[in-house]
Amino acid sequence: MLPNVSTMNIAHRGAQGVCPENTLLAAGMGLAYGAHMWELDVSMTKDGVLVVIHDDTLERTTNAAQLPAFAGRAPWRVCDFTYDELKTLDAGSWYVQTDPFGQIAAGAVDDDDIASYKELRIPTLREALEFTRDAGWCVNVEIKDHAHLIGHNVIAEATLDCIRDTDMVESVLLSSFQYRYLEQAGIMLPEIPLGVLVYDEPVADPVALVRSLKAQAYHPWRKNVTEEVVDRLRDAGVGVNVYTVNDAAEMAELASWGVTGLFTDFPLLCWGVLQGELFG
């Protein structure tokens, strides 16, 4: 079952503030840091395998651009490669090289952890769901928009089949910026809760949007949500899960507004804030 708490601590792509995103290592670190659930991104390979990766392309979070076998295949779109090809990629060393959140330079990541990041692999959705299930945990599965990519017509159904096959229907919150996928999910698997992701443009009537998609939650960008909007949604019985919140004061403020979830790259920080919010 999804967490029954006032405000969920949701590890965004795992604990990506201190670990390579969308890897099982990042998920495990989010669990260890007290997150109520984690969030992952689903894409589809050329041969129809569902994999956990955020970007449409492989360049930022793998070494594809440096490998001879991938030469001349820019922009290295995920959907242009088979899963067997993706299995050869290093999905962790980039984090050590770029230190995206400055945590390695700050000394927040020890040498053993840094060593463990090298040669991490892109997990399949099945592997990620099985990890979550075996941990007795929950996950927000975001289906990436494939409108202009291979897999657009089948990725939603394939994702739902995988969730069902791994016996994770009751432990998954499904979300997407592509509302067609949410509509398909509502028809094919009506018992799964849905989250409506919205970009940074204001939505005139978020309650109507959520209801039109038969969803249960609204997922706004942190800079595009107000206390008044939260009140309207909560009064209508709609959950509000805000992304991506990495500042402690902002976490506390949003929790005081009554949001139901905080997507964060730093779940340990969020854990501490919510402990104070709930028990201080």
Side-chain angles (χ1 to χ4, degrees):
M1 299 293 290
L2 295 180
N4 182 21
V5 295
S6 297
T7 304
M8 293 183 293
N9 174 1
I10 308 171
H12 183 234
R13 307 180 203 170
Q16 74 155 345
V18 293
C19 195
E21 66 184 60
N22 274 321
T23 60
L24 296 186
L25 186 62
M29 198 166 290
L31 178 63
Y33 285 167
H36 296 109
M37 64 191 304
W38 70 299
E39 182 266 353
L40 60 79
D41 303 285
V42 179
S43 291
M44 181 172 278
T45 65
K46 182 179 181 180
D47 54 341
V49 178
L50 296 170
V51 291
V52 179
I53 186 170
H54 177 271
D55 296 2
D56 293 342
T57 68
L58 299 162
E59 185 173 12
R60 181 177 65 88
T61 59
T62 78
N63 62 335
Q66 286 77 51
L67 296 181
F70 289 77
R73 301 176 71 180
W76 301 286
R77 298 191 312 173
V78 175
C79 65
D80 289 332
F81 296 90
T82 67
Y83 175 59
D84 282 345
E85 289 177 306
L86 295 192
K87 285 194 297 185
T88 68
L89 297 175
D90 178 343
S93 293
W94 70 274
Y95 193 94
V96 180
Q97 295 160 4
T98 64
D99 192 14
F101 292 88
Q103 296 301 293
I104 295 176
V109 184
D110 63 35
D111 290 342
D112 288 341
D113 284 337
I114 291 172
S116 73
Y117 298 165
K118 299 176 181 178
E119 303 298 329
L120 288 174
R121 302 302 176 194
I122 299 170
T124 64
L125 177 61
R126 179 173 293 274
E127 290 171 339
L129 290 175
E130 289 175 344
F131 169 86
T132 308
R133 180 197 64 204
D134 294 346
W137 207 23
C138 299
V139 60
N140 177 179
V141 173
E142 178 188 336
I143 307 178
K144 302 307 292 183
D145 188 353
H146 278 52
H148 303 290
L149 304 171
I150 297 168
H152 179 54
N153 293 324
V154 297
I155 190 169
E157 182 175 2
T159 299
L160 293 168
D161 286 343
C162 190
I163 293 169
R164 187 188 295 109
D165 290 347
T166 52
D167 195 27
M168 282 290 287
V169 174
E170 293 187 354
S171 301
V172 167
L173 171 62
L174 189 74
S175 65
S176 187
F177 286 105
Q178 173 54 262
Y179 297 161
R180 170 181 169 177
Y181 302 157
L182 300 181
E183 291 169 342
Q184 290 175 309
I187 294 170
M188 292 186 287
L189 199 60
E191 61 267 40
I192 197 166
L194 306 176
V196 180
L197 273 161
V198 293
Y199 290 106
D200 54 357
E201 292 298 319
V203 174
D205 192 340
V207 174
L209 174 62
V210 171
R211 286 178 172 164
S212 72
L213 294 166
K214 297 181 173 59
Q216 290 72 40
Y218 183 72
H219 293 185
W221 182 45
R222 64 185 179 86
K223 295 299 184 183
N224 193 35
V225 65
T226 64
E227 187 171 8
E228 186 269 337
V229 168
V230 173
D231 286 342
R232 285 168 56 196
L233 287 157
R234 299 299 294 126
D235 287 346
V238 176
V240 184
N241 304 318
V242 183
Y243 71 91
T244 303
V245 190
N246 292 334
D247 177 77
E250 192 171 23
M251 291 173 183
E253 180 179 43
L254 288 165
S256 74
W257 291 357
V259 302
T260 51
L262 297 168
F263 291 96
T264 180
D265 301 319
F266 295 95
L268 184 59
L269 173 65
C270 190
W271 178 85
V273 170
L274 294 179
Q275 286 289 313
E277 184 68 25
L278 296 172
F279 305 117

